[in-house]
Amino acid sequence: RAALERHGLRERTAALNAAAAALAREVAGERAFVAGDIGPTGRILEPYGDFEESAARGAFEEQAQALAEAEVDFFIVETMSAIEEALVAVAAAAVTGLPVVASMAFDPKGRTAFGVSPKQAAEGLGEAGAIVVGANCGTVSPAEMVEIIAEFRKATSLPLIAQPNAG
C-alpha cells in the first residue's frame, strides 16, 4: 500500500497483488511454487521516521491476505534493512498460516543500512515466524554473501537463503 500510494494506486493494493499471484500461478502451473513477495514500504517506522507501526502492520496484513487468498504457496519477505519493519512484515505474513521466508539486504561490512547484524536478523526473523532466513541483494559480492550467510548459520539452525543482487 505504501509503495503503491506514491503512484496513486493505494486503493488497488489487494487487486494488484491478487492479479500478480494469479498470473504467477497460471505460468507456474504445477511445475513450480508461487511466492508472495513482500518488500519494504520505503518509509521509516517511528520513532526514527514518521510511519506508524500500526500503519505498516495494516499495509503488510492487507498485502499478505490478498496474496494468501490468491493461493500463493508461501511468502518471501525480502530486501529489508530495518529489523523493526522486517519483524512487522514477517508477523503479518505468518498470521495467514502460510510458510514465511525472510531475508535482509547487507553491506560488505555485514550490516544492513540500519546496522542490523546477521545474528540479530536470524534471531529476530525466526522469533517473528520465519521458517527460512538469510540475505538478499544489498551491496555484497558473492564472497561477502558467503561470509554473511556463515554468520547466520552461527546464529540459527533454520534453513538459510542467499539471493544475489539483481545488479
Side-chain angles (χ1 to χ4, degrees), residues 77-83 86 102-125 133-153 155 160-165:
V77 174
E78 62 181 346
T79 320
M80 294 290 183
S81 294
I83 192 69
S103 62
M104 300 189 75
F106 291 86
D107 66 21
K109 293 186 189 319
R111 295 286 189 267
T112 71
F114 285 84
V116 180
S117 71
K119 181 181 189 309
Q120 292 168 310
E123 292 172 353
L125 296 171
V133 297
N136 77 293
C137 291
T139 57
V140 297
S141 69
E144 291 161 336
M145 179 65 85
V146 169
E147 292 174 17
I148 290 165
I149 293 300
E151 292 301 311
F152 269 89
R153 176 49 62 223
L160 302 176
I161 184 169
Q163 295 175 260
N165 188 325

Side-chain angles (χ1 to χ4, degrees), residues 61 64-69 75 91-100:
E61 286 175 352
Q65 188 60 41
L67 290 166
E69 288 174 7
F75 290 100
V95 166
T96 68
L98 292 173
V100 181

